[in-house]
Amino acid sequence: MKVLVIGGGAREHALCRSLSLDPDVTALHCAPGNAGIAEVAELHPVDQLDGEAVARLATDLQADLVVVGPEAPLVAGVADAVRAAGIPCFGPSEQAAQLEGSKAFAKDVMAGANVPTARSYVCTTAEEIDEALDAFGAPYVVKDDGLAAGKGVVVTDDLAEARAHALACGRVVIEEFLDGPEVSLFAITDGVTVLPLTPAQDFKRALDGDEGPNTGGMGAYSPLPWADPKLVDEVMDTVLQPTVDELRRRGTPFQGLLYAGLAMTSRGVRVIEFNARFGDPETQVVLARLRTPLASVLLNAANGTLDNEPPLNWREDAAVTVVVASHNYPGTPRTGDPIEGLDEVAAQDAPHAYVLHAGTKRDGEAIVSAGGRVLSVTATGTDLAEARERAYAAVGRIRLDGSQHRTDIARKAAGE
C-alpha cells in the first residue's frame, strides 16, 4: 500500500511513524512534512489547503490511501477533492468537517442526536453576548464559532475578558461551564460503523498546575487509571454512534476520525466539543499504545468497509507525551533556534522514548525550530510513572534556547 499523509506537525509524525512500522505499507509520503517526518517518509511541497494540488500529488504518486491530518484542509474540502480523483481518503468531507469548523453546527447536530452537552447560546451581537454571559454567570466559557487551532476558547471569571473575547470573534458560542476532569476519546468511522480508540487526557494550559493561557496542547497521557472502565461503552452509546447516525441521516456522512472532547461532570458525561481529526498531542500517546497495524484500519474507514475490521489490539503499556514549545508560545513564537540533543535521545532512550517533530525544519546540517510547539517527546512504560520518568529523561537531553515545557504532565494520574 502506498500512503500519502497530509500535514506537517507532531500528529502527522505520529501517524507516519505508525504507518512506517506497518508491513502493508510499501511506500510512505508526506506533504509538506517536517524535519523528523523526513526520516520515515518522502516529503513533497504542497499547499495543504489546495484540494486540487493534493489530489494531483496523490494521483502522481499512485497513492492507495490519503490521510488528511489537520483540521484546516478538511474544512477546506481537501478530502472531497481526493475522493473526486478516485483515491480513498481518510478524512471527512467539507460538509461533515463543519462538526469542527462551526461550533454552532456541532451544537445543532448534538441536539438532533440527543447527545449530552453544555447548554449554550449562539451570539452575533453585543446585546446577545451580554444576555448570554449574564444568563450563565462565571466561570464564563466563550468559544469562537470557527477554527482557531485549539486557541479560540476563553474560560475566565473575568466578565470584561469574556466579553472582549466574544466581541472579537464575530459569531460566538457562549455556554455553561462544565465541571470535572476532561477526556479525549477518538473513534475511527466509515460513516456507519464506529471503532473507538483508547481514551487519553491532554493538558491545554501553558503552565504547570493548569495555569497560563490556552494552547494547542502541552502534553498527554493514556490510559486513564481514574476513569470508569465502562466509559468507552457509555460514550459509544450516548455520543459517538448517535452523532455518526445523525450526520448520515442529514446526508453528510462522516468518514474519518471523530474526536469527542468530554467533561466527566457531576451530572454525567458531557461533550465539550467535537473535532474532525486526530487530536494533537493525544494522537502521540494513543498510537504509541496501538498494536493493530494502522493502514488497513484507515483504508477500511475510507472505503466504507470498517465492519470487516476486527477489534483493535492495545498494548498494556502506558504512554506519556511532553510538548517542548518555543520561546513565547502561545504568543508569537521565536523560530530559527537550533535544536540539539536529538541524537542523544535516539542513542540512549530508544525504543522506550522517542521524539516526534512538530514545528521543525532543516537548515543546512542543523534542525531548527519553525513553530510554537516544536517537539513531542513520547515515552512508554509498564505504568504511567515509568512512562513519565522516561519522557522527562528524554526531554532533559534536548537543548533549545528559550524553550518551555510543563513538568506536571500525568503527575497526578501517576500517583506522584
Side-chain angles (χ1 to χ4, degrees):
M1 195 190 304
K2 292 180 185 173
V3 182
L4 169 63
V5 175
I6 303 302
R11 162 187 45 226
E12 288 76 35
H13 194 176
L15 286 164
C16 285
R17 180 181 183 273
S18 291
L19 290 165
S20 73
L21 298 172
D22 186 333
D24 287 342
V25 176
T26 53
L28 183 59
H29 303 269
C30 186
N34 62 39
I37 295 173
E39 295 174 14
V40 293
E42 185 179 340
L43 302 191
H44 304 269
V46 77
D47 177 357
Q48 58 184 350
L49 299 179
D50 184 340
E52 297 306 317
V54 171
R56 249 192 328 273
L57 175 61
T59 302
D60 292 346
L61 294 173
Q62 298 181 306
D64 301 299
L65 173 67
V66 175
V67 179
V68 182
E71 60 273 23
L74 292 168
V75 172
V78 167
D80 302 275
V82 172
R83 279 194 275 269
I87 298 169
C89 185
F90 182 81
S93 67
E94 179 181 354
Q95 281 186 303
Q98 286 304 307
L99 201 61
E100 177 169 4
S102 167
K103 306 288 189 301
F105 176 79
K107 287 289 186 183
D108 190 54
V109 170
M110 283 188 264
N114 203 26
V115 166
T117 186
R119 291 178 301 122
S120 64
Y121 294 105
V122 180
C123 307
T124 55
T125 68
E127 291 76 20
E128 290 172 346
I129 287 166
D130 288 338
E131 285 177 20
L133 292 171
D134 184 56
F136 288 130
Y140 304 102
V141 181
V142 183
K143 298 181 175 181
D144 191 331
D145 181 55
L147 287 183
K151 293 181 285 227
V153 180
V154 163
V155 181
T156 180
D157 289 323
D158 185 331
L159 177 58
E161 182 187 2
R163 190 171 189 273
H165 180 66
L167 290 169
C169 288
R171 194 172 194 228
V172 67
V173 175
I174 296 173
E175 62 184 38
E176 68 176 324
F177 177 76
L178 297 175
D179 62 341
E182 295 183 12
V183 173
S184 301
L185 184 60
F186 302 163
I188 291 170
T189 178
D190 61 2
V192 179
T193 301
V194 180
L195 203 60
L197 305 187
T198 188
Q201 186 174 55
D202 79 333
F203 294 76
K204 284 289 185 203
R205 298 285 186 173
L207 307 176
D208 284 7
D210 291 327
E211 299 288 331
N214 244 2
T215 71
M218 294 299 289
Y221 69 92
S222 179
L224 312 181
W226 49 268
D228 187 328
K230 299 188 186 122
L231 174 64
V232 174
D233 291 339
E234 180 188 344
V235 176
M236 268 291 290
D237 292 343
T238 62
V239 175
L240 297 170
Q241 192 71 56
T243 300
V244 169
D245 293 345
E246 174 67 12
L247 285 164
R248 189 174 70 253
R249 187 188 69 76
R250 291 173 176 229
T252 55
F254 189 104
Q255 286 179 287
L257 195 289
L258 178 59
Y259 164 141
L262 308 165
M264 306 291 107
T265 78
S266 52
R267 293 170 292 131
V269 176
R270 297 288 185 273
V271 174
I272 301 168
E273 64 175 356
F274 283 125
N275 291 331
R277 39 72 194 179
F278 280 101
D280 182 347
E282 301 99 318
T283 301
Q284 290 85 303
V285 291
V286 170
L287 292 186
R289 300 187 59 227
L290 180 65
R291 200 189 295 276
T292 302
L294 186 60
S296 69
V297 184
L298 302 186
L299 185 62
N300 276 326
N303 284 336
T305 52
L306 200 57
D307 56 340
N308 295 338
E309 192 66 40
L312 297 175
N313 189 355
W314 298 95
R315 295 185 175 89
E316 293 295 317
D317 283 3
V320 172
T321 282
V322 179
V323 170
V324 177
S326 56
H327 176 73
N328 200 41
Y329 178 77
T332 304
R334 193 174 80 207
T335 59
D337 290 312
I339 303 165
E340 298 176 331
L342 298 174
D343 291 343
E344 293 167 39
V345 175
Q348 298 182 52
D349 300 292
H352 301 299
Y354 49 89
V355 178
L356 298 168
H357 291 233
T360 69
K361 68 177 183 181
R362 189 166 281 284
D363 182 10
E365 291 301 302
I367 291 175
V368 301
S369 61
R373 291 187 295 173
V374 181
L375 305 168
S376 281
V377 180
T378 303
T380 56
T382 54
D383 56 21
L384 284 173
E386 185 176 47
R388 208 171 164 274
E389 185 181 329
R390 287 171 170 171
Y392 279 107
V395 168
R397 299 189 209 285
I398 293 167
R399 297 176 297 283
L400 170 61
D401 187 44
S403 68
Q404 53 176 314
H405 65 271
R406 282 184 58 160
T407 65
D408 63 346
I409 304 299
R411 178 189 287 158
K412 189 175 172 188
E416 296 176 17

